[in-house]
Amino acid sequence: MSTNKEKFSFYKEHPKTCKPDDFWGQVKRTVNGQPVSQEHIDMIVDAVVTGLQLNQDDILLDLCCGNGALSAPLFSHCKGGLGVDFSEYLIAVANRNFISPPDQNYILQDVVEFCDNPVTPQKFTKMVCYGSFSFIEHHRSESMLKLLHGKFPNLDRAFIGNCPDKSRIADFYGDRPFVPGTENDPDTPIGIWRTPEEFIRLAKLCGWHATIHKMPSQYYAAYYRYDVILSR
Ligand SMILES: C[S@@+](CC[C@H](N)C(=O)[O-])C[C@H]1O[C@@H](n2cnc3c(N)ncnc32)[C@H](O)[C@@H]1O
């Protein structure tokens, strides 16, 4: 499977320009350049914990985990967790700050490659992919959902969070210039935009039942993003 590693390099280079402890800046969880408040982080954690019905029997797979700053509070609701990301810098931050062996670990790998050749796939019961799915090319994101369905027999719920809503693209851009085609390009700051209906169709094609979740209106990105909860 091709990964186009050279092209998709933003999250490999950008974090190096941030302070080592600017965890939210490193993954661009910012508003006007400032890290979002703890209140917003708590809203994300609540949405994922509730959407996945996380409990102490779960082993959570966090695909595109970034620096682990969001994985750690999610893993704390579970028996264990594994974060996977292809940014060497962000995985190093995770391993310096958030690793808690033997139950909470982080590995450096492309997520589609991981799903194609997973180590002990049967142990994972839940999956989260937050703020990242839109950066995976169309054909590879479809492969990833099919592989998760076929190769992870005990994975019964998945949360794909913070997806950009194509039906809200005009609200997001407002008067700013928009280059047609941007909505289909994973190598842009927001990645591929999909309507909720497009996402539900994609999930169905890959064997999943999808339901759409909206964050509370006070969440900073609620007006143009949604979450998807997959079940079998
Ligand atoms: C906006 S950050 C989100 C990180 C984390 N999920 C969070 O919400 O804090 C996007 C992440 O996706 C990762 N990523 C994008 N494409 C990837 C791929 N094909 N394989 C592994 N990681 C990928 C980037 O390295 C980056 O860490």
Side-chain angles (χ1 to χ4, degrees):
M1 245 176 256
S2 75
T3 57
N4 212 352
K5 282 187 180 134
E6 294 311 309
K7 198 172 163 219
F8 297 96
S9 59
F10 178 81
Y11 282 102
K12 298 182 183 181
E13 298 308 318
H14 161 76
K16 299 177 188 168
T17 67
C18 302
K19 290 191 177 145
D21 62 351
D22 180 8
F23 300 131
W24 302 127
Q26 289 166 9
V27 295
K28 280 281 193 190
R29 185 152 293 123
T30 54
V31 176
N32 300 326
Q34 296 304 310
V36 303
S37 68
Q38 187 60 39
E39 189 194 343
H40 289 266
I41 304 302
D42 293 345
M43 277 191 256
I44 298 174
V45 172
D46 267 6
V48 179
V49 169
T50 307
L52 286 180
Q53 300 165 5
L54 281 185
N55 63 72
Q56 288 296 329
D57 292 328
D58 281 323
I59 305 280
L60 179 63
L61 176 62
D62 186 352
L63 295 178
C64 301
C65 63
N67 55 20
L70 186 59
S71 322
L74 295 174
F75 291 168
S76 72
H77 288 263
C78 307
K79 187 157 73 180
L82 175 71
V84 183
D85 200 285
F86 70 3
S87 162
E88 200 170 344
Y89 187 88
L90 290 177
I91 286 293
V93 175
N95 280 326
R96 254 197 323 274
N97 296 279
F98 298 109
I99 192 173
S100 178
D103 298 323
Q104 299 180 18
N105 295 293
Y106 298 90
I107 59 168
L108 177 68
Q109 197 172 0
D110 174 273
V111 291
V112 187
E113 289 176 7
F114 173 85
C115 291
D116 200 19
N117 287 296
V119 184
T120 59
Q122 67 284 352
K123 78 176 182 187
F124 297 107
T125 54
K126 308 274 170 71
M127 186 284 274
V128 61
C129 177
Y130 201 89
S132 309
F133 192 79
S134 62
F135 300 121
I136 302 171
E137 309 93 306
H138 276 290
H139 67 289
R140 299 183 78 241
S141 51
E142 185 180 320
S143 298
M144 183 170 119
L145 293 186
K146 286 181 175 164
L147 289 165
L148 284 164
H149 192 271
K151 292 200 176 191
F152 294 76
N154 298 314
L155 195 77
D156 60 25
R157 274 177 105 75
F159 191 102
I160 302 185
N162 227 28
C163 304
D165 184 347
K166 208 200 298 188
S167 61
R168 299 291 175 87
I169 204 161
D171 299 339
F172 176 76
Y173 275 94
D175 293 337
R176 288 175 295 152
F178 168 73
V179 180
T182 307
E183 74 279 11
N184 263 321
D185 186 351
D187 193 22
T188 50
I190 296 198
I192 298 173
W193 297 67
R194 295 176 175 89
T195 63
E197 294 72 26
E198 283 173 336
F199 212 120
I200 290 169
R201 270 200 300 279
L202 169 65
K204 192 170 179 198
L205 177 74
C206 302
W208 295 100
H209 172 72
T211 55
I212 302 300
H213 170 260
K214 289 288 294 178
M215 288 292 268
S217 57
Q218 63 270 31
Y219 179 63
Y220 74 106
Y223 73 102
Y224 74 103
R225 291 188 184 259
Y226 61 92
D227 306 317
V228 183
I229 298 167
L230 302 178
S231 57
R232 287 187 188 262

